[in-house]
Every structure is written in C-alpha cells, then in structure tokens.
Amino acid sequence: MKVDVMIIGGGPAGLSAGLYAARGMLDTVIIENGGMGGQIATTDAVENYPGATPDVTGPQLAQRMREQCLQFGVTFQTEAFKGFEKKGQTIAVTTDHGVHETKTLIIATGAQPRKLGCKGEDEHRGMGVSYCATCDANFFRNRHVAVVGGGDTAIEEALYLTKFASKVTVIHRRDQLRATRILADRAKSNAKLDIVWDSVVEEVAGDGIVQSVWLKNVKTGKITEMPVDGVFMFVGQAPQTQQVANQLTVDSRGYLVTDANMHTNIDGVFAAGDVREKSLRQAVTAAGDGAIAGVQAIRYIENMIEA
Ligand code: NAP
C-alpha cells in the first residue's frame, strides 16, 4: 500500500512534520531506528523551547510530541532506513523490513555526536568514554569526569554532570568557549566545574576502564596526564546522511541542502531539522522545519492529484 508521507526520523523535526501532515489528513508514517525522540530525548533540561517548563525533561517533551502525533493518526514503525528510489510519482523506501511505497518522503534523520578520534577512545567506549551525559551521568556519582569540547552541548552537559560527579573538568582546545554566554557564565561560576584551556586530548588511558587522559597544551606543547574516571566527548555533530548523500545535494560538511520550503533536489523529497544545512540547530528550528516540510508535502500531493 502506498502511503502519502513517509518520514525518516522521530526527533522534533520528524514529529512536527508528522503532526502537520496527519492534521492535513494525510496517511503518515514515521520510521524510527530504535532511539525515539531524537537528541532532545537525551537532554535533561530544555530551557529554550518556547513553553517548555523546568518540570518537563527532554524525554518527556519528546514523548508529548509523539503522543500528539498518535492522536492525529500517525503510524510509527521501528525499522532501519536503507535508502530510497524515485520511480515516476512513487518513492520506494527500503528498510531492513522490506520496501515501502510513498508519495512523499521527509528526511529528518538528524545528527549524531562526532567521535574525537584520539588514541584509546574506541577501546574505552562504554568503559568510561561516553557521548551522552543524560544516559551515563549516574555511573559517575562522586567521581571526577572530563568533558571534551567548548560548544553548547559540552557546557550544557558538563553542567548537568556536576549534579552527579564530584568534579567536572572541561577540556577545550582554545582560550574561549564557543557556547552561548548564558551557559559559559554558568560554567565559570559553578564551583564543581573547572576548565583546562588551550588543550587537546591526545589519549584516553586505562586498564579496561578509563583511568586518565593525556593532554597536550597547544600553546606550550607541554604534555600532562590528568587522572579521571570518565570522559564525555562533545566535539560537534555529524549529519546522518549516509543512505541519501549519493542522491541528495549536500554542502561541504555533508548537511542536506534544501530551499526555504525544505525541498531537496528531488521532487517530493524534503529534508528537515539538524540533518539540513542551516544556521541554527535547535529543537525549535527542527520543529519549524518539520512544520514546513509537512505542509509542503500536503501541497505537493494536492498538485499531484490535479496533474
Ligand atoms: P559545536 O557548536 O560544533 O561545538 C563543538 C565544540 O567541540 C567546539 O567547542 C569545538 O572547538 C570543539 N571541537 C571540535 N572538534 C574538536 C577536536 N577535534 N578537538 C577538540 N575540540 C574539538 O557542536 P555542539 O556543541 O554539539 O552544538 C551543535 C549545535 O547544536 C550548535 O548549533 C549548538 O548551538 C546547538 N545546541 C544548542 C543547545 C542549546 O541551545 N541549549 C544545546 C546543545 C546544542 P572550537 O570552539 O574551537 O571550534
């Protein structure tokens, strides 16, 4: 059976696209690959989504968005997206469950944390090396942890970790944080958090579990060992475009290129959220993209019927 809209990804972009498409009376399916809710579901506090209040966590907000979709008739399917092929007015979407047909496709696969790429990182993944504070903070109660990176994610997650760890040391390669002022100020005034400036992690060391990081000061070249019980890596994001990058136009960093109405270079295929080339990657802009993509899918199908 051919559906009207198939959305790949169940984060704020996909959920918002689903809500708009289903409210537009379209037969709408969201394909998720395991983790539900996208990156917002791994964030403890969401302060900058309009209307979000401190008593609602990221996972709860994602759950509410999902429930709203279900209320309007969106179908959720847990499958791994493999790719798509456009044949006339039909888009054939391949997943690990088979091939599904849809009239329109919305790619909302988001972005994932990048690996740092230093020695010892892979060997200690899950053994002290983590990419998600909300998931793993509890393992580091009253321990000393390092956070690598100086952006919004690193500082937000470092602040969250101070609720669990005895000490959080942020390691940043420059002498100035990239994070927004409000987060940077909070970090600087938090007694449990300190910052090692101008330094990169050369190696994560340990005997099965993390015991220390070897740091290099990029200005002096000096190498030091810092004992830590865990290392959280927050050095940016990589867009999830592996399955579509050979068909859809991407920018120099691999993000999908769309016009202001979320149209990709293939008719009937839209992109929304963090996977898309844009200047501000936030839950609220992802939701905005999703709304536009959902409405554009409605318009596209209306024109299809007329054609
Ligand atoms: P980001 O803004 O790209 O920051 C990445 C950080 O990692 C930068 O400080 C960067 O250093 C550092 N870094 C990158 N590669 C490195 C390497 N090889 N070695 C050492 N350090 C390295 O990524 P992000 O923090 O994940 O944020 C992604 C987007 O989501 C941003 O647009 C951000 O504003 C947004 N976001 C917003 C919120 C919020 O509003 N509450 C929360 C989370 C994320 P440099 O500074 O030297 O480049």
Side-chain angles (χ1 to χ4, degrees):
M1 190 191 77
K2 198 197 294 192
V3 299
D4 293 324
V5 186
M6 189 156 280
I7 298 161
I8 314 298
L15 293 169
S16 170
L19 175 66
Y20 274 77
R23 274 191 87 244
M25 306 305 287
L26 297 188
D27 189 9
T28 305
V29 173
I30 295 181
I31 305 270
E32 296 170 310
N33 186 11
M36 285 177 277
Q39 291 192 74
I40 201 172
T42 60
T43 305
D44 175 53
V46 183
E47 282 184 345
N48 49 2
Y49 192 89
T53 50
D55 57 310
V56 180
T57 63
Q60 287 167 337
L61 188 59
Q63 183 57 27
R64 285 186 182 182
M65 292 181 188
R66 201 170 190 277
E67 279 162 14
Q68 213 175 352
C69 280
L70 286 167
Q71 221 180 315
F72 286 98
V74 174
T75 303
F76 287 86
Q77 292 175 197
T78 305
E79 298 178 31
F81 173 61
K82 302 280 187 199
F84 76 92
E85 194 184 344
K86 185 154 187 217
K87 299 171 181 164
Q89 290 206 329
T90 300
I91 299 167
V93 173
T94 306
T95 73
D96 61 346
H97 282 46
V99 179
H100 308 290
E101 292 193 334
T102 180
K103 292 177 191 164
T104 62
L105 176 65
I106 299 175
I107 308 290
T109 42
Q112 270 195 351
R114 274 183 47 215
K115 289 206 301 186
L116 179 62
C118 72
K119 199 173 162 201
E121 180 180 12
D122 287 343
E123 294 90 309
H124 292 98
R125 192 179 182 135
M127 301 304 285
V129 169
S130 172
Y131 301 83
C132 174
T134 324
C135 319
D136 296 332
N138 204 29
F139 300 123
F140 298 94
R141 279 186 188 275
N142 304 315
R143 304 287 180 92
H144 179 196
V145 297
V147 165
V148 186
D152 282 332
T153 307
I155 300 310
E156 206 168 71
E157 301 300 289
L159 287 165
Y160 176 70
L161 281 163
T162 62
K163 295 181 194 170
F164 299 81
S166 52
K167 186 177 170 189
V168 177
T169 302
V170 172
I171 300 157
H172 186 37
R173 64 182 177 183
R174 292 187 292 134
D175 59 3
Q176 210 179 0
L177 293 176
R178 177 178 294 280
T180 43
R181 177 82 187 271
I182 187 166
L183 289 173
D185 286 352
R186 276 183 207 164
K188 287 171 190 165
S189 62
N190 189 308
K192 284 171 94 180
L193 191 154
D194 65 357
I195 304 176
V196 176
W197 301 105
D198 300 315
S199 297
V200 291
V201 175
E202 295 261 285
E203 181 179 347
V204 177
D207 186 10
I209 56 166
V210 170
Q211 288 166 325
S212 67
V213 283
W214 287 89
L215 305 180
K216 180 181 177 183
N217 184 299
V218 293
K219 287 190 173 155
T220 64
K222 194 176 164 197
I223 308 262
T224 48
E225 183 180 19
M226 184 172 79
V228 287
D229 301 298
V231 192
F232 286 80
M233 308 286 190
F234 299 115
V235 292
Q237 317 271 327
Q240 298 302 292
T241 56
Q242 301 88 324
Q243 299 87 353
V244 296
N246 59 341
Q247 288 156 286
L248 300 180
T249 306
V250 294
D251 71 2
S252 59
R253 295 168 64 216
Y255 289 93
L256 298 182
V257 175
T258 69
D259 66 11
N261 282 326
M262 310 302 141
H263 293 251
T264 67
N265 54 301
I266 297 184
D267 245 11
V269 179
F270 306 86
D274 281 7
V275 74
R276 191 174 79 80
E277 176 198 38
K278 63 202 295 195
S279 64
L280 184 64
R281 289 194 176 83
Q282 305 273 301
V284 64
T285 60
D289 283 3
I292 296 170
V295 169
Q296 289 297 315
I298 297 169
R299 300 231 168 108
Y300 178 84
I301 288 172
E302 280 168 2
N303 290 336
M304 245 172 131
I305 292 162
E306 281 165 19

